[in-house]
Each structure stands twice: as structure tokens, then as C-alpha cells.
Amino acid sequence: MKTRFSEINLIKELSSPRYHNLRQQFVARTFVNKALIFGPRHDDNLVYLVEKGQVRVYLAMEDREFTLSILNPGDIYSTHTSAYNSAMGDVRILTMDTMKFYSFMAEYPELSKIVIAVLGGILKQSFAIIDSLSFKDIRKRLADFILFQTDQCTADETGMVTVSLGLTMEQIAGIVGSTRQTVSTILNDMIRDGILQKTERGVLLIPDLEKLGKYR
Amino acid sequence: MKTRFSEINLIKELSSPRYHNLRQQFVARTFVNKALIFGPRHDDNLVYLVEKGQVRVYLAMEDREFTLSILNPGDIYSTHTSAYNSAMGDVRILTMDTMKFYSFMAEYPELSKIVIAVLGGILKQSFAIIDSLSFKDIRKRLADFILFQTDQCTADETGMVTVSLGLTMEQIAGIVGSTRQTVSTILNDMIRDGILQKTERGVLLIPDLEKLGKYR
């Protein structure tokens, strides 16, 4: 994540006299590739600055992981969330007690800008994950419905199946229990993902039935 | 959301001379109860400060809404996200161009603290929503499995169904395709929600089969 509205390169500037007080308070820690830097809700309430390498911030649920951000040198994040933080390559971070860090924010306003940029990026990604999870049921129902319609169809020599739905978007939406707008969005996603190809009105080409069956 | 690590009451302080420059740049707007203040990705890139009333920040997907935050007077948020912002009661907000607002953050570091506190709260809530959506499939499978087990059972005069699973958590986890830890968490959630009651080992009481069938 680039610190979009912050122009400073904090890692480069950190050695300058202006940052002497701040630098003094940081404690450096190093991690090897793939090491867990902090798990969810780490006991110590710390803020950390990535000095070297990249840190992957992600949520782990059941057997799935959702990447929230790839932090780069100069990015700042916190240990006190329900996210995992793990090293991508050899990583060196500079840690500081959160309250101490906050007291420095008045003196160095650029720190706040970095924090806000990182949080904003993670928030955007979180919204995208919520969006994707919310539509999962509808995507599955729509894929199942199209698959059901191919029952009477045979594949050509390349495995391509042609199915004529003969239904409007409104009618399909009614069948899968969604809205015209959502069905249209998901069909476009399927076309973009190569699951479907569209020819004329209401006619779909399906390159791989198995792929369609697994679509979520 | 309380601005937890920011002690200032920005609305009260805003009339003091110290905030003269900032106050001058705000543009006030009022909204009646339930009015949409800003939709997702509003054209103008604005920051707003809640002056009066409350603002509900939420994501709307399909036919569902996920509340991310209830903003109170003194809270600061942005128009440039995929969230909806709507008025709870009569609302008065003070808006400012985002870039202009950022330029004030060096002069008034307390603004950053409010922004970070609000973003942090919304992020926490987003993680909770992702958590809930991720486990939805497993919750449904577990509810369906318990329901299936009640097939041979009859209800007592109060409608209470007693079912003896005779399975360990590991075995149930294997059946629904999850982990012992997750199954245990969901069963406890179900008990907390009044969907199930637990008596002895492996025996469950179900007050309302229909409620169990709808559990997600």
C-alpha cells in the first residue's frame, strides 16, 4: 500500500536530526520469511513501522485467509487488531508502545497521515471482502441454475456447451431470488473470469461445465 | 463510536479562537431523519464532522445492510468510501474538501486522532462482519445436520425436541467439514441465542425446530 497522500519517505528521513526523539524510542525486531510477526490481539499494544521487507496483514477464518494489506517500508500498523501480521521476505520492524506513539503524533503530523492512509487501504479491502462474501450465495445459485439449464445440452468437440436460456435478466433474477442489477453484475463477472461467453441475446457459451459448477 | 484516545470535545472547542481558521473553512449542511447524507463513492471528495445528531455508516448489499458505525457529534468521516451515510434524527454536519482538511491536520493534530479512532472502530466492525459471513456456511451446515438428526424425534407438549447426537465434537466437525474449535464456538453461539439448550453430554434440547432451520 502506498501512503498516497503522504509524500515523505519515513524510513529515509528517520535518520535525520528532526526525527531523533522518535527514533530513540523505537525498538527494532527482525523476522525471517513467513514468520508470524504478531497474531490477532497481541498482548502488547504496539504500533510498528516497517523498516525493511514487506508484511502481509490478513484475517484467517476456518481454512480461509483474507489478505487485507501488503505493508511496505514506511507503512505503520498496529498489533491490536484481530488480523495476523506475517513476514514476506526478511523483515525488520520498529516497534513502539501505542500510547507513546500517539504522543509523538502532535510533534510529527506526517505519522498520522501514514496511519490514516494504511487504515483507509485496509478498510477499502475489508469492504471488498464483505461485498464478495455477501454475494457468494447468489453467485452459487446463479451458477447452479445455469448448470441445471445445460442438462439437455451436449458439448461440441472442444467441450464447449451452448445453452439458450430464453429468459430476461428480470426472469433469471426472480428464479435465483435476486435483483436484475445483481444478476447482471455477476454474469459480467463470470464472463470476465472466463466461466461464460456471451453471444446473442439469452445464449451463453460455457467452456468448462466443471468450472461453472465450482463457481462461488 | 467514542473517540477513545482523543479527549477533546471538538464541537464544543470549535467556537474557541484556536479553531477560527478551521471553522471558517467548513460548510454546514442539515438533513432530516433517515435522509441519505452521502451514498457510496460520492462525487465530491469531502470530509465531514458531525455537529448535531447521529450518522449511521453502513454497507448495503443485495437486500442486506451491515452497520459499520454510528457516528456521534465530534466524529469525522469521509464521503469517499463505498459506505452509505444516513441521518439518525435531525443531523447537521460540517463538510470540507478532503485535501484542505488534510492540510489542517498538521496545525490541529487532534483531528488525526479523531479520524484514526473512527477508522479503527469501523475496521473492527468490518472484521466482525467478515468473521460472521465466513462462518455462515458452517453455521448452516451444522444447523441442517442437527435438524436432520431430529427426524426420528417427537416434540413434548411444549414443543421441545430432545435429540441425542451420541457424537463427539470431532465427529460432528468431520461431518459438517469444519474443526472441533469452530463447531464448539457455533454450538455455544446457538445456546446463547436460545436455539439450543444443552443438558448432558451429547444431548441437546431444541425449543423451536423452525428457528433452528432458519439459523444462519
Side-chain angles (χ1 to χ4, degrees), chain B:
Chain B
M1 180 162 330
K2 279 297 131 238
T3 50
R4 286 149 302 171
F5 65 94
S6 163
E7 296 300 313
I8 66 150
N9 180 335
L10 189 58
I11 300 305
K12 205 173 147 191
E13 305 265 314
L14 208 59
S15 53
S16 74
R18 172 170 148 68
Y19 288 98
H20 179 77
N21 287 342
L22 179 71
R23 195 174 62 240
Q24 288 258 335
Q25 300 295 323
F26 274 124
V27 176
R29 295 180 59 183
T30 57
F31 298 87
V32 295
N33 188 23
K34 296 192 176 172
L36 182 67
I37 298 176
F38 298 109
R41 280 174 281 272
H42 189 261
D43 281 346
D44 301 330
N45 197 345
L46 300 176
V47 162
Y48 69 88
L49 166 66
V50 182
E51 193 187 15
K52 198 190 110 186
Q54 293 182 310
V55 175
R56 187 166 75 96
V57 179
Y58 60 100
L59 298 176
M61 275 142 192
E62 274 287 297
D63 48 356
R64 301 171 64 185
E65 290 181 0
F66 300 103
T67 296
L68 297 166
S69 183
I70 307 292
L71 302 180
N72 286 303
D75 282 344
I76 294 168
Y77 196 56
S78 151
T79 64
H80 218 61
T81 75
S82 51
Y84 289 79
N85 305 253
S86 71
M88 293 174 72
D90 289 339
V91 165
R92 190 176 144 98
I93 61 171
L94 304 173
T95 68
M96 192 184 296
D97 173 79
T98 299
M99 283 307 135
K100 197 187 278 177
F101 181 83
Y102 284 147
S103 69
F104 277 114
M105 289 197 330
E107 195 178 340
Y108 306 103
E110 57 274 34
L111 296 179
S112 318
K113 296 198 177 186
I114 297 172
V115 171
I116 291 170
V118 169
L119 287 180
I122 292 180
L123 203 57
K124 197 177 162 187
Q125 179 61 15
S126 301
F127 290 178
I129 293 167
I130 292 172
D131 187 68
S132 164
L133 289 171
S134 302
F135 284 101
K136 213 178 65 168
D137 293 349
I138 303 286
R139 278 200 301 272
K140 181 173 168 8
R141 286 207 294 278
L142 187 58
D144 286 351
F145 170 70
I146 297 170
L147 207 59
F148 178 73
Q149 297 304 109
T150 63
D151 248 18
Q152 310 296 324
C153 307
T154 49
D156 70 11
E157 64 278 11
T158 68
M160 181 78 82
V161 173
T162 305
V163 60
S164 171
L165 295 180
L167 294 168
T168 65
M169 289 286 178
E170 277 85 357
Q171 289 171 317
I172 299 174
I175 292 165
V176 300
S178 183
T179 61
R180 196 199 57 76
Q181 180 55 46
T182 299
V183 167
S184 172
T185 302
I186 297 174
L187 282 177
N188 286 329
D189 288 350
M190 285 174 161
I191 292 167
R192 190 202 56 208
D193 296 343
I195 303 291
L196 297 180
Q197 294 167 25
K198 218 171 169 179
T199 53
E200 47 185 309
R201 216 164 180 72
V203 175
L204 300 170
L205 299 179
I206 305 161
D208 187 338
L209 282 184
E210 203 177 328
K211 242 180 167 176
L212 175 63
K214 285 181 186 159
Y215 194 75
R216 297 290 176 269

Side-chain angles (χ1 to χ4, degrees), chain A residues 39-199:
Chain A
R41 279 173 282 273
H42 189 262
D43 280 345
D44 301 330
N45 197 345
L46 301 175
V47 162
Y48 69 87
L49 165 66
V50 181
E51 194 187 15
K52 199 190 111 187
Q54 291 183 311
V55 175
R56 187 166 75 97
V57 179
Y58 60 99
L59 298 176
M61 276 143 194
E62 277 286 297
D63 50 354
R64 301 170 65 184
E65 290 181 1
F66 300 103
T67 296
L68 297 166
S69 183
I70 307 292
L71 302 180
N72 287 303
D75 282 344
I76 294 168
Y77 195 55
S78 151
T79 65
H80 217 61
T81 75
S82 50
Y84 290 79
N85 304 253
S86 71
M88 294 174 71
D90 289 338
V91 165
R92 190 176 145 99
I93 61 170
L94 304 173
T95 67
M96 192 183 296
D97 173 79
T98 299
M99 283 307 134
K100 197 188 277 177
F101 181 82
Y102 283 149
S103 69
F104 277 114
M105 291 198 328
E107 197 179 337
Y108 305 103
E110 56 275 35
L111 297 179
S112 318
K113 296 198 179 185
I114 297 172
V115 171
I116 292 170
V118 169
L119 287 180
I122 292 180
L123 203 58
K124 197 176 162 190
Q125 179 61 14
S126 300
F127 290 179
I129 293 167
I130 292 172
D131 187 69
S132 163
L133 288 170
S134 301
F135 284 101
K136 213 178 66 168
D137 292 350
I138 304 286
R139 277 200 301 272
K140 181 173 169 8
R141 286 207 294 277
L142 188 57
D144 286 349
F145 170 71
I146 297 170
L147 208 58
F148 178 74
Q149 297 303 110
T150 62
D151 249 17
Q152 309 297 324
C153 307
T154 48
D156 70 11
E157 64 278 10
T158 68
M160 181 79 81
V161 173
T162 305
V163 60
S164 170
L165 295 180
L167 295 167
T168 65
M169 289 287 178
E170 276 86 356
Q171 289 170 318
I172 298 173
I175 291 164
V176 300
S178 182
T179 61
R180 195 198 58 75
Q181 179 55 44
T182 299
V183 167
S184 171
T185 302
I186 296 174
L187 282 177
N188 285 330
D189 288 349
M190 286 174 160
I191 292 167
R192 187 203 58 207
D193 295 343
I195 303 290
L196 296 181
Q197 293 168 23
K198 218 171 169 179
T199 52

